[in-house]
Amino acid sequence: MSKGAAKLMELDRAVAGLVKPGMSIALGCALEGFIPFAAAHEVIRQGTRGLGLIGPISNLCFDQLIGAGLVEHIEAAWVGNVSTGSGYAFRRAAEAGKLTLVEHSNFSLYLALEAGARGLPMAVSRSPLGSSLAAENPHITPFTCPHSGEKLLAIKAIRPDVCILHVQQADPEGNCRAWGALGVSLAAAQAARQVLLTCEEVVPPSLIRSDPDRTLLPGFKVAAVCEVPFGAHPSSVQGYYGYDHAFHMDYAKATRDPGGVRAWLDEWVNGPADHRAYLAKLGPQRRRGLMLTHSAPAPMVEYGW
């Protein structure tokens, strides 16, 4: 078996092999798009507990994992439902003291991940001076610069155990490419000890090599590759499908009380045996309604000399 073939696997096997109880997981790193919902749903099916979640605008993905009772710690800038506001499972757990919360801004979270990616113990920033984050976040420490005398902040580096990313394309060896708004995806993947990659389609290595500037990660950084079409639904993937706002609205209505969360998870996550069954439940008509409706290709680039 080739090295590339060994990385290419079914999602359930990848999650079982890489996501263990008590681990810290970075996901939802591209803000509102590319959220690896299919992978998060598989974590829920496998019941992996004691997790720490790391991410910027985490959306429903965090809320669902919290509602399943799998999360103990969160390091994030915002948790909720981008279409309606509150994530009810998160709110109930936070108000009940069931979660340890470390609050960041999007930028301070990025800096912490970037420091982790560089192998540094901390990042240095003026942001978020003047806000309550500097006082409330135990990982942000004011200090006086020995060179300028300025008041600055030391932001503790973050190194997730696993980063789960969803991208447009990857080859069997884990070389992947992505385009669009990617948020902190690169810093999170570089900081993480392991990367689990889901993609819309697996493509030949020659296609990745044909446009090297679009390569997000080299294969040596990726532990597992899973071909998962519509793997980011109900979020969006540039060039493939758009945002399913109606799904977010339905989730909000269904999860206003704790029993509703469990019923929703039983219907949409634990009920379907896998992501293929989830897509079958979603239905082809709904998927077609979200797919690309107009083309806007980038100009061709000549790399020869």
Side-chain angles (χ1 to χ4, degrees), residues 17 44 71-72 81 93 160 176 209 228 232 262 265 269 301:
I44 294 172
V71 181
E72 292 183 354
N81 182 329
C176 65
R209 291 195 299 268
V228 189
R262 177 52 56 189
L265 290 172
V269 180
V301 177

Side-chain angles (χ1 to χ4, degrees), residues 3 32-33 38 99 155 165 172 175 220 245 266 269 277 282 302:
K3 185 177 180 181
E32 294 182 13
L99 299 172
I155 302 172
L165 290 183
N175 303 295
F220 67 79
H245 285 287
D266 286 344
V269 180
L282 192 65
E302 175 59 68

Side-chain angles (χ1 to χ4, degrees), residues 70-283:
L70 305 181
V71 181
E72 292 183 354
H73 178 83
I74 290 180
E75 199 155 359
W78 184 83
V79 180
N81 182 329
V82 296
S83 293
T84 64
S86 288
Y88 298 119
F90 164 72
R91 182 170 181 172
R92 282 188 290 268
E95 290 177 347
K98 295 180 179 179
L99 299 172
T100 302
L101 303 176
V102 177
E103 186 175 358
H104 276 278
S105 68
N106 281 330
F107 186 54
S108 68
L109 184 72
Y110 162 74
L111 291 174
L113 289 167
E114 181 67 19
R118 293 174 180 270
L120 299 173
M122 67 179 190
V124 176
S125 180
R126 293 185 180 89
S127 175
L129 276 170
S131 76
S132 61
L133 284 179
E136 295 173 0
N137 185 327
H139 299 163
I140 298 178
T141 306
F143 74 101
T144 301
C145 175
H147 302 291
S148 67
E150 290 181 88
K151 184 178 180 181
L152 298 172
L153 296 174
I155 302 172
K156 183 181 177 181
I158 296 176
R159 291 209 65 200
D161 292 314
V162 180
C163 176
I164 303 177
L165 290 183
H166 188 78
V167 298
Q168 283 101 334
Q169 298 171 338
D171 69 20
E173 297 177 358
N175 303 295
C176 65
R177 64 183 190 175
W179 57 96
L182 300 177
V184 303
S185 296
L186 180 59
Q190 290 176 334
R193 293 174 176 85
Q194 297 187 96
V195 176
L196 193 168
L197 194 70
T198 61
C199 62
E200 290 297 315
E201 55 180 330
V202 172
V203 298
S206 58
L207 182 60
I208 304 293
R209 291 195 299 268
S210 72
D211 193 359
D213 286 346
R214 200 174 294 165
T215 301
L216 179 67
L217 287 176
F220 67 79
K221 184 62 184 175
V222 175
V225 180
C226 307
E227 187 174 47
V228 189
F230 265 83
H233 179 271
S235 70
S236 58
V237 172
Q238 184 80 44
Y240 285 74
Y241 48 87
Y243 213 80
D244 194 339
H245 285 287
F247 197 92
H248 286 73
M249 301 291 286
D250 292 343
Y251 177 83
K253 293 175 184 176
T255 58
R256 286 182 179 274
D257 62 81
V261 175
R262 177 52 56 189
W264 190 93
L265 290 172
D266 286 344
E267 180 181 0
W268 283 99
V269 180
N270 296 315
D274 54 23
H275 184 64
R276 295 181 184 88
Y278 170 90
L279 292 183
K281 177 175 174 56
L282 192 65

